[in-house]
Amino acid sequence: MISTARYGPWALITGGSEGLGASFAHRLAEAGFNLVLVARREEPLAELTAALRAEHRVEVRTLAADLTRTDVLDEIRSLTDDVEVGLLICNAGGAVQGSMPFLAASLEDNLKVVQLNPIAQTALCHHFGKRMEPRRRGGIILVGSLAGNAGGPTVVAYSAAKAFTQILAEGLWCELQPLGIDVLCTVLGATDTPARSRMGFADPEGAVISSPDDIARDALANLANGPVYVPQHLEPGFRHICSLPRREAAETMRSILSAFDPT
Ligand SMILES: NC(=O)c1ccc[n+]([C@@H]2O[C@H](COP(=O)([O-])OP(=O)(O)OC[C@H]3O[C@@H](n4cnc5c(N)ncnc54)[C@H](OP(=O)(O)O)[C@@H]3O)[C@@H](O)[C@H]2O)c1
């Protein structure tokens, strides 16, 4: 079980109201972590908080805020400056409008994907990393995607944003691991979350859809094995896409994504 002495006593989870974020919250509460949960909608945050408080003797704070707003760090600070956040999980990061061609989506929505991933993640890692540094302990988990290893149609800004996420984790790992701070990018393939269901994907026959509970468990278990964790069933696809010449990688993404067309 993940140790509060190493990564506690508080963990902050973005997108901590449902799906993978909720799975992280349950696992961490079970291990005795106090939690700060950030998401936009109040109601799912309140429901999860009630469930966590009923099942575990931990403190839970919530912030209903949009992480694509430039001043969101101020709000997060006002909720966390008085506690020790030893574990940061940047989970929120999905496509803003579902999968959509780059030019069909508005510029605003394309930019939101960038704000939610590269910009918010950089701001949070910098802020909480600086607070972990003098303590010489802590952990950061960034949620990445297989899509971050090659560009493809209908996920143009999303793939680029997730490439940033993965490379950010690698660089941070180099700098922070010697300071006692573990950094991990956990690479996801298709995962059964409410956000994904809302997009209405028609999964091709035989597609492996991961459970968010399994992803959260494996990411926490591998936090010290950074910088990048790829679940075993994704390993062959991950290695393959990384090994291809770039044009072939993009063409492979084009053919994979055409099989996952939203209905
Ligand atoms: N599901 C998959 O198949 C899949 C595959 C590869 C990678 N991933 C990655 O896994 C992570 C979780 O994915 P997900 O499917 O659960 O979708 P997600 O939309 O990234 O995460 C859902 C959570 O994030 C919150 N959220 C979304 N946008 C937000 C914003 N602008 N500000 C604050 N909170 C926000 C949602 O609550 P509110 O809506 O109330 O804000 C909810 O709590 C993401 O980083 C995603 O890129 C997922």
Side-chain angles (χ1 to χ4, degrees):
M1 192 174 277
I2 182 157
S3 145
T4 50
R6 173 91 188 82
Y7 302 111
W10 286 78
L12 183 143
I13 307 170
T14 70
S17 63
E18 62 174 27
L20 179 57
S23 295
F24 275 120
H26 280 289
R27 285 247 144 208
L28 290 168
E30 212 172 80
F33 282 75
N34 297 319
L35 299 170
V36 181
L37 309 176
V38 184
R40 287 165 302 183
R41 288 165 298 151
E42 301 258 10
E43 204 179 312
L45 280 171
E47 277 171 24
L48 177 60
T49 301
L52 291 166
R53 286 188 182 138
E55 284 171 42
H56 310 282
R57 297 175 57 140
V58 296
E59 286 184 58
V60 184
R61 295 179 180 183
T62 61
L63 176 65
D66 189 336
L67 289 153
T68 66
R69 283 205 342 252
T70 47
D71 58 351
V72 74
L73 185 59
D74 295 336
E75 283 186 65
I76 290 176
R77 283 199 56 175
S78 66
L79 196 68
T80 55
D81 271 357
D82 64 329
V83 296
E84 206 174 301
V85 173
L87 179 60
L88 166 66
I89 302 183
C90 293
N91 164 62
V96 166
Q97 260 191 341
S99 299
M100 216 187 220
F102 182 71
L103 296 180
S106 65
L107 173 61
E108 193 191 2
D109 279 342
N110 279 303
L111 290 177
K112 276 186 179 172
V113 176
V114 177
Q115 264 148 356
L116 187 55
N117 288 278
I119 295 177
Q121 290 164 2
T122 301
L124 290 168
C125 288
H126 189 264
H127 173 68
F128 288 106
K130 269 190 108 57
R131 298 199 66 199
M132 290 172 198
E133 183 181 16
R135 303 200 289 264
R136 313 291 285 189
R137 63 181 189 87
I140 296 174
I141 296 177
L142 303 179
V143 177
S145 171
L146 258 192
N149 290 276
T154 73
V155 291
V156 173
Y158 177 73
S159 287
K162 288 303 188 186
F164 181 97
T165 300
Q166 192 172 308
I167 301 300
L168 177 70
E170 291 175 3
L172 284 173
W173 180 84
C174 291
E175 289 194 358
L176 302 189
Q177 201 219 18
L179 305 177
I181 301 162
D182 292 323
V183 181
L184 183 79
C185 171
T186 184
V187 175
L188 266 63
T191 304
D192 184 17
T193 62
R196 185 175 192 274
S197 302
R198 289 194 288 271
M199 285 184 205
F201 283 107
D203 294 317
E205 215 177 294
V208 177
I209 314 294
S210 300
S211 123
D213 286 344
D214 291 349
I215 299 284
R217 181 201 58 219
D218 290 350
L220 293 173
N222 283 284
L223 177 47
N225 302 325
V228 177
Y229 171 71
V230 183
Q232 209 176 0
H233 72 280
L234 295 181
E235 213 24 268
F238 179 82
R239 279 186 197 284
H240 178 62
I241 202 94
C242 293
S243 71
L244 291 173
R246 300 317 300 165
R247 183 171 177 160
E248 277 180 50
E251 279 167 350
T252 302
M253 285 294 280
R254 180 155 55 193
S255 117
I256 292 171
L257 285 161
S258 66
F260 275 90
D261 266 350
T263 49

